[in-house]
Amino acid sequence: MNTKILAVVAVAIVVIAGIAVAVSMHQSSSRDPVVETGRLLVYGNANNDDYLDDRDLEMVQSIVNGETTWDSEEYPFADANCDGEITSDDVTLIRNIIDGNTCTLYYLEYYESNSSAVVSITYPMKTDSIGIYQYQTGFLVSMLGLWDNVDYADNTTLGYTTAFDTEGINSYGNYSGSMMRTTSGLETFNSSNVDVLILNGYWDDTVVKDGLAAMGSDTQVIKPYCQGTYAISSMLTFGFILGCYDSASEYIAFYDKVMDYLNECLSGLSEEDYVTYYVVNNPTDSGAIKIRSSGSNGTYPDLAWVEMIPGVNLMPNGDNDTYQATRTAEWFLQEENASDYIIISMSSLSAYDNNVETALNTFKEMFSQTQAYSDGNIIGLAYGYFNGLYSPSMLVLLASYLYPDLVDQDYGWELFYEFFEKYHQPGSEGAEVYAGVYRMSTE
């Protein structure tokens, strides 16, 4: 990773650490104080706030004029054309971006959890026809109000009938990170002839970009990383890139409201009052339980979101170098491994009629001897909706189980329904069944 990327990652650490900043949504002519959030990862956003506007133009012009010295580590995005220096060319490019003139726009793209790269697209991006390749990117497109422009999607995305209206959308076939790099995969993408192909942020998309270019395709390829807390910067960055900045800003405002409320409720806790917890995936038939952690491979997306709640202490999973370790129920019975809460992040809910509460109580016998079960502190939620863009809808609700005397559960449900009504295609009716947060019954 080069020094420029390292500098940008440092700027974006606000997002990774989960520090929310209250920012009022304004037009570029506003003179509200600049709040450096590090969330809009577009080169030209010179002052690191949530906007690319005249203030960035003024800042870069002052550097060109010699009135200000450029701190490339603190303000890497001031170098709009990514050539390593600040010149009048950067001023011209920022003006073109603001005015919506055709130009090359550079931005920071995350992949493989902690890696990143500077990439470019032709801006403004045409979005009349969109291809989706992974359901989290489908969430992004839907929340930005572009779902009606989706013409192709992979079968996993098309299978999310609780989230998407998939009628009339063509299929790319089964989702596969390796398939999309094959000749047949590239031919499938090319034949769809979409304006923009949106891939999963897990994968390096160089092969796809180069392959489509070699075929003479005009399709632009982007890959927002929409899992974990990276989802926040991805929403704002790709909302800007896709021409849906206002919709992205509204989403960010909801997220900031959630974090402001949690910080207000829980920031006064002393460390000795912090609850301890595990995040585990639903157990297998053989009794294996996968415990999330933070390790050399990064942090599991659902765990990253739980860590956004102030005043929580993650219990170690017994393997400090991996982000997931496999244990059995007996492991939780050892005194040194006991925790206040066990949060079960459940996948494959279709086997339980897409019902979180039904699935959660299926695992009662396995956890019935733990202290967390005795205290009524085993909580369940759906991994598919708590690993990225939907997570803010459930944070207050989850926190209300962890700190019932400090966080209002009714307000948690109110926020949940508000979010689903605004951002979920079928609306909020019935959403609590497949995306709510529940406590395991002890009866």
Side-chain angles (χ1 to χ4, degrees):
M1 188 180 293
N2 65 35
T3 55
K4 179 181 290 185
I5 295 174
L6 285 172
V8 176
V9 171
V11 170
I13 200 71
V14 170
V15 176
I16 300 169
I19 300 174
V21 184
V23 183
S24 61
M25 298 302 152
H26 59 66
Q27 301 298 319
S28 60
S29 60
S30 171
R31 294 289 96 179
D32 293 339
V34 171
V35 179
E36 297 182 21
T37 65
R39 300 189 292 204
L40 180 60
L41 309 181
V42 174
Y43 285 86
N45 178 25
N47 59 11
N48 297 334
D49 65 3
D50 280 351
Y51 319 95
L52 201 160
D53 55 24
D54 288 339
R55 289 182 170 187
D56 301 297
L57 197 65
E58 293 167 4
M59 178 176 174
V60 174
Q61 186 65 66
S62 71
I63 296 172
V64 173
N65 294 343
E67 300 165 355
T68 305
T69 300
W70 178 39
D71 185 334
S72 60
E73 292 190 2
E74 186 172 358
Y75 299 106
F77 293 116
D79 182 13
N81 62 6
C82 292
D83 66 353
E85 57 184 357
I86 304 296
T87 68
S88 59
D89 290 341
D90 296 296
V91 175
T92 300
L93 180 52
I94 294 173
R95 172 50 64 195
N96 282 330
I97 295 171
I98 293 172
D99 291 345
N101 297 328
T102 300
C103 59
T104 299
L105 181 144
Y106 298 86
Y107 65 97
L108 190 70
E109 195 170 72
Y110 284 111
Y111 62 96
E112 297 175 356
S113 297
N114 294 318
S115 300
S116 57
V118 177
V119 297
S120 65
I121 52 116
T122 299
Y123 181 85
M125 179 173 281
K126 187 178 179 183
T127 58
D128 293 338
S129 179
I130 297 174
I132 298 294
Y133 202 66
Q134 202 262 346
Y135 76 96
Q136 285 285 352
T137 61
F139 288 164
L140 175 72
V141 168
S142 179
M143 291 176 183
L144 290 174
L146 291 174
W147 186 259
D148 288 344
N149 297 8
V150 175
D151 290 325
Y152 282 81
D154 66 281
N155 286 344
T156 302
T157 302
L158 294 176
Y160 257 78
T161 55
T162 57
F164 305 121
D165 177 5
T166 60
E167 185 177 354
I169 297 178
N170 302 294
S171 174
Y172 278 137
N174 292 329
Y175 173 77
S176 169
S178 58
M179 187 284 289
M180 72 182 194
R181 296 175 172 83
T182 65
T183 300
S184 62
L186 292 172
E187 289 174 347
T188 298
F189 290 144
N190 186 43
S191 64
S192 67
N193 199 33
V194 294
D195 296 319
V196 54
L197 173 62
I198 308 180
L199 302 176
N200 180 2
Y202 275 132
W203 309 108
D204 184 350
D205 57 0
T206 305
V207 173
V208 179
K209 287 182 177 179
D210 293 347
L212 290 177
M215 292 177 177
S217 173
D218 293 328
T219 296
Q220 296 207 75
V221 181
I222 59 175
K223 55 177 196 63
Y225 190 74
C226 295
Q227 294 188 299
T229 54
Y230 292 99
I232 300 303
S233 58
S234 288
M235 170 60 77
L236 197 60
T237 300
F238 287 92
F240 183 93
I241 288 170
L242 292 166
C244 302
Y245 179 79
D246 288 345
S247 296
S249 295
E250 291 176 5
Y251 175 96
I252 294 298
F254 180 92
Y255 164 78
D256 285 339
K257 177 170 67 173
V258 165
M259 292 309 303
D260 286 345
Y261 175 75
L262 289 176
N263 284 318
E264 179 182 348
C265 292
L266 301 174
S267 60
L269 286 169
S270 59
E271 288 193 28
E272 57 265 26
D273 294 326
Y274 287 5
V275 297
T276 59
Y277 71 99
Y278 292 102
V279 175
V280 306
N281 193 221
N282 38 312
T284 66
D285 292 339
S286 65
I289 303 172
K290 295 179 179 179
I291 306 176
R292 316 294 205 208
S293 187
S294 296
S296 59
N297 292 327
T299 302
Y300 232 88
D302 47 6
L303 172 59
W305 276 104
V306 178
E307 290 180 330
M308 300 285 279
I309 299 173
V312 292
N313 273 338
L314 176 68
M315 293 289 289
N317 67 3
D319 188 343
N320 293 327
D321 195 42
T322 180
Y323 67 174
Q324 185 165 264
T326 301
R327 300 286 181 258
T328 63
E330 288 72 22
W331 190 81
F332 294 91
L333 302 182
Q334 299 174 33
E335 183 177 354
E336 65 271 21
N337 297 331
S339 65
D340 297 321
Y341 288 84
I342 297 174
I343 301 168
I344 306 180
S345 179
M346 295 174 289
S347 52
S348 302
L349 283 181
S350 58
Y352 308 95
D353 297 323
N354 288 316
N355 189 308
V356 170
E357 194 169 19
T358 298
L360 176 64
N361 288 307
T362 302
F363 309 116
K364 185 183 299 187
E365 183 176 350
M366 189 168 293
F367 291 98
S368 61
Q369 301 303 310
T370 65
Q371 185 61 49
Y373 175 85
S374 298
D375 295 338
N377 289 342
I378 295 186
I379 311 300
L381 44 78
Y383 175 76
Y385 287 100
F386 195 75
N387 64 7
L389 291 165
Y390 271 85
S391 299
S393 71
M394 288 169 269
L395 274 183
V396 171
L397 193 53
L398 177 57
S400 73
Y401 286 104
L402 305 180
Y403 289 104
D405 295 332
L406 299 176
V407 180
D408 185 351
Q409 188 166 117
D410 289 338
Y411 184 55
W413 281 113
E414 179 183 326
L415 289 171
F416 175 88
Y417 289 123
E418 177 187 336
F419 185 97
F420 271 74
E421 189 63 35
K422 184 174 181 62
Y423 293 112
H424 194 67
Q425 282 195 43
S428 63
E429 185 175 354
E432 69 278 4
V433 172
Y434 51 82
V437 182
Y438 291 92
R439 185 191 305 273
M440 181 181 284
S441 170
T442 56
E443 297 178 357

